[in-house]
């Protein structure tokens, strides 16, 4: 709870204080309105039977009543506006924290199923919960003030009235607390099924799956699985709803019966002549409003406690340890920096790696050395760990055992920025960015000043300059098909864009190329191979390929051998 409140207040202290002040005002207003109504009734009743009408008391009482109602409406609107502003800022901050946390995660954690469960709950259940805490807390403070003032009014009738109202509302609150707890438990149990349902929806709606879904007729299969899961999840929730609503109905009957009894006492007091008409209205409405306020207060307290339980999902995610290479500034990495220029090269010592949730080692006891400026080909059958090794060399994974050294410095001791400045890559599953052609290439090194000459030079090296120059807006044309006025490229053209991106970072001493020619046409492949050594001049290149013509360019061939079972 304290952590949530710190999060809210630190987001905007000024708005938090404004909301707090308005909540105090809103807490007082119900009782002030009841008192003004009592005065109006008493003044009106005093005029009945009088020969001459006294206008001034009626006008004064009417003006006061109207002013209080206007003030109530204004404070209600201001409170809503201020809460919305604060809510927006808190929501923005939470999403910044979630995105920042994700960017600081070790890549292997992103592939862990338990991490995915925690992340799913954090995003889908908890990103808005701090706002619920804010609303609940504001309502609790407001209702506490209202309840205390109403209690003071009812004590003047009899000391037991406030206690009776609390007792009347307690069963219904306990039922709601139990219902909320059982719903939280069910939602945690359904996390995996909810993730599966979300995945099936992606298969049915995302364009990446569209071709095979249509060609292989997979729509009914995955639609059936989605519908089956959706029905199962809904039925379990409805079963719980039905069970909870029965208990809530019983609690409501008990509460209503109690309020009727208390109202009967007030009516009897009026019949006995102990109350004026205004007092009758005041007490009668105080009982009704007090009962609703006390029930709302206890329900909001219970909701606040339950929301705090839900927030465990968010804070569990935010508390996951991060990779220090992404979280700490460069100077905090023990003073170790990427050797520039490399003099001794890359050394892999007895490296093994196992993916999370996997029982087999993707790589086992690999050792080799790469000299600075060498072109190295990684070969081996599918599943022998070539792509995994590239990700280890890039520092994206940490070896399960063994170490990777660059001039004697462990890759694990280098900051992410240092690695990014000195390494570049095109991965087998390269990304398609729906941005301009120029930015697509510049993403290879966003820390350098963008010039058309440098972007065009990288494009020319990848054999894509002519294509991009002839687009409707040249290099300023947006690529892809997500936005208006975009141009879609073929897979081979996208691969050339990705190659240009990997070539763009001229500071990179090491370039990793995972199946870099897989989607290229014969002519483009030939031109690229012919100029490869010129492009890679003074750089160390590590190529993953099954192509003989690519392997022939290598100074050193490292065969990873058989698949590791």
């Amino acid at each position: 709870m304290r952590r949530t409140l710190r999060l809210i207040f630190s987001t905007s202290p000024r708005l938090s204080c404004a909301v707090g002040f308005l909540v105090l005002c809103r807490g007082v207003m119900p009782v002030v309105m009841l008192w003004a109504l009592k005065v109006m009734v008493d003044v009106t009743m005093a005029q009945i039977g009088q020969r001459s009408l006294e206008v001034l008391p009626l006008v004064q009482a009417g003006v006061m009543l109207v002013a209080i109602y206007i003030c109530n409406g204004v404070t209600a609107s201001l409170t809503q506006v201020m809460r919305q502003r604060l809510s927006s800022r808190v929501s923005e901050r939470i999403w910044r924290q979630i995105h920042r946390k994700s960017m600081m995660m070790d890549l292997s954690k992103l592939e862990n199923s338990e991490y995915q469960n925690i992340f799913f709950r954090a995003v889908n259940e908890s990103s808005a919960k701090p706002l619920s805490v804010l609303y609940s807390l504001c309502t609790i403070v407001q209702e506490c003030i209202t309840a205390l003032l109403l209690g003071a009014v009812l004590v003047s009738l009899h000391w037991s009235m406030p206690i009776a109202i609390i007792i009347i509302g307690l069963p219904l609150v306990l039922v709601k607390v139990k219902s909320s707890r059982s719903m939280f438990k069910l939602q945690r149990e359904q996390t995996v099924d909810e993730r599966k349902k979300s995945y099936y929806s992606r298969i049915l709606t995302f364009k990446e799956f569209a071709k095979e879904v249509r060609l292989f007729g997979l729509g009914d299969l995955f639609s059936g699985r989605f519908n089956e899961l959706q029905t199962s999840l809904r039925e379990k929730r409805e079963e719980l709803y039905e069970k909870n609503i029965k208990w809530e109905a019983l609690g409501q009957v008990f509460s209503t019966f109690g309020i009727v009894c208390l109202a009967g006492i007030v009516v009897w007091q009026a019949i006995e002549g102990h109350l004026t008409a205004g007092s009758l209205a005041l007490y009668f409405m105080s009982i009704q409003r007090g009962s609703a306020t006390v029930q709302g207060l206890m329900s909001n307290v219970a909701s606040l406690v339950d929301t705090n339980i839900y927030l465990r999902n968010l804070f569990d995610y935010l508390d996951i340890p991060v990779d220090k290479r992404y979280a700490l500034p460069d100077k905090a990495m023990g003073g170790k920096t990427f050797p520039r220029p490399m003099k001794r090269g890359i050394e892999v010592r007895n490296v093994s790696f196992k993916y999370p949730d996997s029982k087999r080692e993707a790589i086992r006891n690999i050792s080799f050395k790469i000299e600075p400026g060498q072109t190295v080909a990684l070969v081996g059958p599918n599943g022998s760990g070539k792509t995994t090794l590239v990700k280890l060399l890039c520092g994206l994974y940490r070896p399960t055992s063994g170490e990777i050294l660059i001039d004697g410095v462990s890759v694990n001791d280098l900051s992410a920025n240092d690695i990014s400045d000195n390494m570049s890559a095109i991965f087998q599953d390269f990304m398609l960015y729906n941005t301009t052609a120029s930015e697509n290439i510049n993403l290879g090194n966003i820390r350098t000043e963008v010039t058309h000459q440098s972007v065009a030079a990288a494009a020319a090296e990848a054999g894509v300059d002519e294509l991009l120059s002839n687009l409707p807006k040249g290099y300023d044309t947006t690529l892809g098909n997500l936005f208006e006025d975009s141009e879609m490229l073929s897979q081979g053209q996208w691969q050339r864009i990705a190659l240009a991106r990997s070539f763009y970072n001229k500071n990179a001493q090491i370039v990793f190329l995972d199946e870099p020619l897989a989607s290229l046409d014969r002519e483009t492949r030939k031109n690229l191979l012919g100029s490869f050594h010129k492009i890679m001049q003074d750089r160390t290149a590590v190529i993953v390929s099954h192509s003989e013509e690519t392997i022939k360019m290598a100074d050193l061939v490292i065969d990873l051998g058989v698949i590791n079972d």
Side-chain angles (χ1 to χ4, degrees):
M1 183 76 69
R2 190 178 303 170
R3 185 174 179 181
T4 306
L5 296 179
R6 278 202 308 268
L7 171 68
I8 294 169
F9 186 80
S10 61
T11 298
S12 180
R14 183 180 299 178
L15 277 174
S16 299
C17 290
V19 169
F21 173 75
L22 288 168
V23 164
L24 292 176
C25 294
R26 295 288 297 148
V28 173
M29 290 309 299
V31 180
V32 174
M33 291 169 65
L34 288 178
W35 173 78
L37 186 61
K38 173 190 178 300
V39 171
M40 187 68 189
V41 171
D42 283 340
V43 169
T44 303
M45 295 299 295
Q47 299 292 329
I48 296 175
Q50 299 294 325
R51 292 184 178 180
S52 60
L53 181 66
E54 295 184 25
V55 178
L56 183 59
L58 282 172
V59 171
Q60 289 175 338
V63 169
M64 180 180 63
L65 187 63
V66 170
I68 290 172
Y69 269 81
I70 290 174
C71 185
N72 180 63
V74 170
T75 54
S77 298
L78 281 174
T79 303
Q80 184 177 1
V81 169
M82 292 300 178
R83 286 202 330 186
Q84 184 57 50
R85 288 183 178 180
L86 184 56
S87 297
S88 298
R89 285 159 176 77
V90 172
S91 180
E92 289 168 7
R93 184 176 180 185
I94 290 171
W95 277 110
R96 285 197 299 270
Q97 289 183 332
I98 289 175
H99 292 157
R100 180 63 181 163
K101 187 75 176 185
S102 179
M103 290 187 292
M104 293 191 297
M105 287 293 177
D106 182 274
L107 191 61
S108 62
K109 277 197 176 128
L110 302 182
E111 297 168 343
N112 179 274
S113 61
E114 181 55 31
Y115 167 85
Q116 291 296 332
N117 287 338
I118 294 173
F119 177 76
F120 183 86
R121 288 194 294 262
V123 171
N124 290 280
E125 298 174 12
S126 306
S127 59
K129 289 298 180 181
L131 310 182
S132 299
V133 169
L134 173 63
Y135 294 154
S136 294
L137 192 62
C138 289
T139 306
I140 286 169
V141 174
Q142 179 178 322
E143 289 175 338
C144 273
I145 296 169
T146 304
L148 288 173
L149 293 175
L150 288 172
V153 171
L154 291 172
V155 163
S156 65
L157 179 63
H158 194 276
W159 63 267
S160 63
M161 294 293 281
I163 298 174
I165 287 177
I166 292 173
I167 293 173
I168 288 169
L170 191 58
L172 187 59
V173 172
L174 293 176
V175 169
K176 289 183 177 180
V177 170
K178 187 177 183 301
S179 299
S180 181
R181 296 289 172 88
S182 57
M183 183 55 64
F184 174 76
K185 181 181 178 182
L186 178 64
Q187 287 181 351
R188 286 188 73 92
E189 291 172 351
Q190 291 183 333
T191 298
V192 174
D193 284 342
E194 287 285 359
R195 283 181 55 213
K196 286 181 180 179
K197 189 182 81 168
S198 177
Y199 175 65
Y200 295 146
S201 179
R202 284 177 54 205
I203 291 176
L204 293 167
T205 58
F206 281 33
K207 66 182 180 65
E208 288 81 3
F209 299 96
K211 296 188 295 295
E212 292 195 3
V213 167
R214 284 154 177 76
L215 182 62
F216 300 146
L218 305 179
D220 290 341
L221 172 66
F222 288 110
S223 178
R225 291 182 182 179
F226 176 88
N227 292 334
E228 183 180 344
L229 268 178
Q230 183 170 242
T231 301
S232 174
L233 292 168
R234 174 179 53 78
E235 287 176 348
K236 289 178 182 177
R237 286 193 295 266
E238 288 179 351
E239 182 181 347
L240 185 58
Y241 289 148
E242 290 174 5
K243 181 180 177 182
N244 290 338
I245 203 168
K246 291 176 183 177
W247 287 103
E248 287 186 22
L250 288 174
Q252 194 66 58
V253 168
F254 177 81
S255 175
T256 303
F257 180 76
I259 292 172
V260 169
C261 290
L262 294 180
I265 293 173
V266 172
V267 171
W268 180 256
Q269 290 288 315
I271 292 173
E272 290 288 313
H274 300 304
L275 301 177
T276 65
S279 297
L280 173 64
L282 174 65
Y283 288 130
F284 197 83
M285 295 182 69
S286 293
I287 288 173
Q288 185 274 329
R289 186 63 184 261
S291 176
T293 300
V294 168
Q295 286 186 32
L297 175 60
M298 290 190 288
S299 294
N300 276 295
V301 169
S303 175
L304 190 62
V305 173
D306 287 338
T307 299
N308 211 45
I309 294 174
Y310 277 92
L311 279 171
R312 285 202 326 240
N313 295 328
L314 176 62
F315 293 133
D316 282 350
Y317 175 71
L318 295 179
D319 289 338
I320 296 176
V322 298
D323 191 323
K324 65 179 182 179
R325 290 172 296 178
Y326 303 104
L328 298 176
D330 295 355
K331 61 183 179 181
M333 293 296 295
K336 296 180 180 180
T337 58
F338 201 108
R340 191 169 190 89
M342 285 194 306
K343 296 179 180 178
R344 292 154 52 191
I346 305 170
E347 185 176 0
V348 177
R349 294 181 181 173
N350 299 317
V351 166
S352 298
F353 178 76
K354 183 172 67 174
Y355 284 97
D357 298 333
S358 176
K359 295 181 179 180
R360 72 178 186 90
E361 291 181 317
I363 290 176
R364 183 187 303 144
N365 296 330
I366 298 293
S367 297
F368 58 83
K369 193 173 187 305
I370 301 174
E371 299 293 336
Q374 273 190 321
T375 296
V376 178
L378 297 179
V379 300
N382 292 333
S384 58
K386 301 184 294 298
T387 297
T388 299
L389 181 57
V390 167
K391 292 177 182 177
L392 285 163
L393 291 169
C394 290
L396 298 175
Y397 294 146
R398 292 176 181 268
T400 306
S401 62
E403 57 182 347
I404 298 173
L405 306 172
I406 299 176
D407 277 11
V409 178
S410 174
V411 172
N412 293 339
D413 293 332
L414 298 173
S415 72
N417 287 337
D418 217 4
I419 291 174
S420 183
D421 285 337
N422 289 275
M423 293 184 182
S424 187
I426 175 174
F427 296 105
Q428 190 173 8
D429 52 348
F430 58 86
M431 295 308 301
L432 286 59
Y433 296 97
N434 284 250
T435 61
T436 65
S438 178
E439 188 174 19
N440 254 282
I441 296 173
N442 173 249
L443 291 174
N445 188 3
I446 59 174
R447 287 169 295 282
T448 60
E449 183 180 355
V450 185
T451 65
H452 177 73
Q453 290 76 14
S454 59
V455 170
E461 289 175 343
V464 75
D465 175 55
E466 183 179 354
L467 169 69
L468 300 182
S469 298
N470 291 327
L471 290 175
K473 296 181 181 179
Y475 279 79
D476 292 328
T477 303
T478 299
L479 304 181
N481 57 9
L482 293 183
F483 308 109
E484 293 181 8
D485 299 325
S486 299
E487 291 289 329
M488 190 58 184
L489 304 181
S490 69
Q491 185 72 7
Q493 290 168 334
W494 273 117
Q495 185 162 36
R496 280 187 274 168
I497 294 287
L499 274 169
R501 188 158 56 238
S502 68
F503 294 157
Y504 182 73
N505 184 4
K506 298 303 179 184
N507 295 323
Q509 299 186 74
I510 308 171
V511 179
F512 298 96
L513 305 165
D514 191 353
E515 297 290 356
L517 311 179
S519 300
L520 301 185
D521 59 78
R522 185 173 182 180
E523 186 65 26
T524 303
R525 187 186 302 119
K526 179 181 177 182
N527 292 336
L528 188 61
L529 291 173
S531 59
F532 182 80
H533 286 294
K534 181 180 178 181
I535 297 171
M536 291 293 116
Q537 186 176 8
D538 298 327
R539 297 183 183 185
T540 301
V542 178
I543 307 172
V544 175
S545 180
H546 294 95
S547 167
E548 288 292 334
E549 54 186 347
T550 306
I551 296 171
K552 287 178 182 177
M553 297 189 306
D555 304 313
L556 172 67
V557 177
I558 298 174
D559 191 345
L560 297 188
V562 298
I563 300 173
N564 291 316
D565 295 321

